[in-house]
Amino acid sequence: MIVELTDEAIVKLQEKTDSNSNKNIRIGVKGSGCSGYAYEFDFLHGLPEEDDYELNYGKFSLWINQPSIAYLDGMTLDYQYQGINEGFTFINPNAKAYCGCGESFTI
């Protein structure tokens, strides 16, 4: 599988899509930031592209555009609690370095 989800990530994505009529999440990579790449993570707006890859989890689907597959292959999406902070975390074995602000990474 291109992207694996932890149990915690599945629970949070189900919560977010249960309260929204849109059950489709877009994840991907775009050129951005000081290290070169940034993750895209949002509800899918409109229809997926013809060559998008779908990971169907029953109550919701993740959609990945073809150019992002090589950058996300083997990645784990987790949901973590750290003190009073919580959020989705990308654990990507393809990332070689992250910028100081944590917003971008290098392949």
Side-chain angles (χ1 to χ4, degrees):
M1 183 171 292
I2 296 169
V3 175
E4 291 190 38
L5 273 62
T6 64
D7 292 341
E8 293 82 5
I10 291 171
V11 167
K12 282 297 178 182
L13 286 169
Q14 285 177 338
E15 287 175 8
K16 292 189 179 299
T17 56
D18 281 349
S19 63
N20 193 312
S21 62
N22 188 347
K23 308 297 183 199
N24 297 295
I25 307 291
R26 159 77 69 201
I27 62 172
V29 173
K30 63 180 178 180
S32 179
C34 54
S35 290
Y37 298 98
Y39 295 109
E40 294 180 308
F41 184 62
D42 198 0
F43 285 100
L44 177 67
H45 301 286
L47 297 173
E49 298 295 321
E50 187 175 315
D51 62 348
D52 281 356
Y53 186 82
E54 179 185 14
L55 297 169
N56 187 309
Y57 285 88
K59 292 187 175 188
F60 65 91
S61 288
L62 291 180
W63 292 90
I64 306 170
N65 63 4
Q66 282 295 321
S68 295
I69 289 175
Y71 300 109
L72 299 178
D73 191 28
M75 187 189 84
T76 299
L77 181 63
D78 192 13
Y79 194 86
Q80 297 180 349
Y81 299 88
Q82 296 176 342
I84 61 171
N85 297 315
E86 62 182 85
F88 289 98
T89 302
F90 294 83
I91 304 164
N92 190 343
N94 302 306
K96 302 300 179 208
Y98 290 89
C99 72
C101 66
E103 293 297 318
S104 63
F105 64 98
T106 301
I107 298 290

